[in-house]
Amino acid sequence: MITYLPLKQITASYEPQIGDAVRRVVERGWFLLGEECAAFEKEYAAYIGNKHCVACGNGYDALWLILRAYRLMGVLNDGDEVLVPANTFIASVLAITNNNLVPVFVEPDAATYLVGERELRAAVTPRCKAYMMVHLYGQCAYSDAIGDFCRERGIKIIEDNAQAHGCLYGGERRTGSLGDAAGHSFYPGKNLGSLGDAGAVTTNDDALLETILSLHNYGSRQKYIHTHEGVNSRMDEIQAAVLRVKLRRLDEDNARRQTIAVRYIAEIKNPMVRLPWVGDSAAHVFHIFPLMSAVRNELQQHLSSLGIQTQIHYPVPPHKQECYAQWNSLSRPVAEQLSAEELSLPLHPLLTDDEVEKIIAAVNSF
């Protein structure tokens, strides 16, 4: 069986460094807001290319904290609209609605699966004050044209960088440093994954930093003194220590992902599937390798019968979810088609060349 994502083996590939890091935290006896978290924040900010990083509880919290901080700063107000891809994971949208903001579901480009400048211009309204840019599947969604358009309109760019750690734009700048602020998820299955839930915000905005530093720790910068109605969203020291270990290998792991993806794109030749469009492989770190097929379920069964495990991301788009009944009548045909056709192939740094060949042969034999 070729497992979609063998987390146990992936974690073991970092030994003994992860074990040493965990023991270091346990022996120190300091488990929150300590040396490991401070060191990770410094190292990750430098890696991304921002001045500031605030570690928090998870990727959703990171996005929520950015939006809540902008509300406290008066940048956003109740009822303001936030542009968001219609084909994203629901966390991107929940962060918006849970801040009394209104999502504007933007259709992606049918070829790239990303929102481009054309789609953004078609969807924007006078009430749009921010754009939740999602680097879906690990592919950079930023362009200079989008950046210029948002700056001209006074629209804040908030990057959802949950799937694109280490991705480069223009060969130099990393996703997470391209907008006004970015939320990062370190869920265990991510390219940079922790051993539980963890997340971070990166930004160059000093005022935003100060507000988030208060918000994520009960609204407090000084013990027992609370300036905001905050939340408890902190990364623990063990997660920070583990992430410091894994960060050192991230570029190497991403390079392996890119090598595998290039082979998939070059060697999968089956008219029943559509391969992802990749204009620049360096601008994609392939957190997910999505095939599209009108007979997705049959393809998944075929691959399973040959011992290949796959996943589906995401079978129901956010605007069709029961929790968003007020938007269920919206028609977003491109996003809905992608949800009905997407199938994710195994793609991770430990895949062997033999396994990659077997996966390619299995898809081609369908």
Side-chain angles (χ1 to χ4, degrees):
M1 168 66 75
I2 299 177
T3 305
Y4 178 75
L5 188 67
L7 280 177
K8 183 176 179 180
Q9 289 88 340
I10 290 172
T11 303
S13 73
Y14 291 91
E15 292 295 356
Q17 290 86 355
I18 280 182
D20 292 343
V22 171
R23 279 188 292 275
R24 184 172 69 241
V25 173
V26 172
E27 290 169 1
R28 186 180 291 137
W30 189 293
F31 303 116
L32 284 168
L33 301 178
E35 295 178 20
E36 297 292 342
C37 194
F40 173 72
E41 289 173 332
K42 181 178 180 181
E43 291 163 8
Y44 193 63
Y47 176 81
I48 291 295
N50 277 149
K51 290 195 298 182
H52 309 301
C53 172
V54 181
C56 62
N58 54 68
Y60 162 79
D61 283 3
L63 298 175
W64 181 92
L65 285 163
I66 294 167
L67 292 170
R68 180 55 59 94
Y70 277 142
R71 288 189 59 213
L72 289 170
M73 295 162 63
V75 175
L76 298 173
N77 297 287
D78 284 3
D80 284 347
E81 293 179 347
V82 180
L83 298 150
V84 63
N87 60 323
T88 187
F89 179 58
I90 199 170
S92 313
V93 185
L94 287 170
I96 296 167
T97 58
N98 286 339
N99 271 296
N100 293 326
L101 302 167
V102 180
V104 175
F105 296 98
V106 186
E107 278 274 61
D109 181 273
T112 67
Y113 318 145
L114 302 175
V115 170
E117 181 204 3
R118 177 173 58 86
E119 291 79 21
L120 211 59
R121 284 185 179 275
V124 72
T125 77
R127 294 188 60 84
C128 289
K129 300 296 177 62
Y131 169 36
M132 181 77 74
M133 174 183 288
V134 182
H135 302 298
L136 192 69
Y137 305 145
Q139 185 167 8
C140 180
Y142 182 84
S143 69
D144 288 342
I146 288 176
D148 292 343
F149 172 72
C150 288
R151 281 188 291 272
E152 289 166 6
R153 292 267 187 158
I155 293 173
K156 292 288 186 183
I157 296 178
I158 301 161
E159 296 175 76
D160 182 341
N161 199 46
Q163 301 185 9
H165 314 114
C167 184
L168 288 169
Y169 173 67
E172 296 178 357
R173 300 163 63 197
R174 295 195 191 276
T175 56
S177 70
L178 304 173
D180 296 282
H184 308 255
S185 168
F186 306 119
Y187 183 77
K190 304 296 187 185
N191 290 31
L192 180 61
S194 58
L195 300 187
D197 275 324
V201 173
T202 54
T203 186
N204 287 326
D205 187 329
D206 296 341
L208 184 69
L209 168 77
E210 290 301 315
T211 307
I212 290 175
L213 282 172
S214 170
L215 271 177
H216 88 121
N217 187 35
Y218 298 106
S220 172
R221 292 299 309 279
Q222 180 182 348
K223 194 169 185 179
Y224 301 132
I225 304 299
H226 304 269
T227 55
H228 301 104
E229 293 183 27
V231 295
N232 175 16
S233 181
R234 303 174 300 202
M235 183 189 294
D236 68 68
E237 287 286 280
I238 287 178
Q239 303 308 335
V242 169
L243 288 168
R244 292 183 69 200
V245 169
K246 298 180 86 172
L247 180 60
R248 298 177 197 126
R249 208 178 83 188
L250 178 57
D251 287 344
E252 177 186 339
D253 286 348
N254 282 343
R256 176 59 181 164
R257 287 176 177 270
Q258 290 165 337
T259 297
I260 294 167
V262 167
R263 283 202 61 189
Y264 282 164
I265 292 168
E267 298 178 37
I268 291 176
K269 300 183 185 300
N270 186 325
M272 304 290 285
V273 305
R274 297 195 313 280
L275 296 165
W277 177 91
V278 180
D280 175 3
S281 62
H284 202 321
V285 291
F286 296 98
H287 170 60
I288 291 168
F289 189 92
L291 291 181
M292 300 294 164
S293 176
V295 284
R296 183 260 312 279
N297 294 342
E298 292 84 349
L299 174 59
Q300 186 175 44
Q301 291 168 5
H302 170 76
L303 295 176
S304 179
S305 72
L306 295 176
I308 298 167
Q309 186 182 55
T310 57
Q311 296 287 340
I312 294 172
H313 299 89
Y314 304 97
V316 182
H319 67 282
K320 295 296 184 182
Q321 296 286 352
E322 183 179 353
C323 64
Y324 287 139
Q326 68 270 40
W327 291 303
N328 285 175
S329 62
L330 282 179
S331 174
R332 296 292 184 269
V334 176
E336 290 155 24
Q337 181 180 1
L338 294 177
S339 292
E341 296 188 352
E342 196 277 341
L343 186 68
S344 305
L345 293 183
L347 201 165
H348 57 81
L350 298 191
L351 269 181
T352 67
D353 289 343
D354 285 346
E355 288 173 326
V356 171
E357 289 178 11
K358 289 177 183 177
I359 292 167
I360 292 168
V363 175
N364 285 339
S365 72
F366 175 63

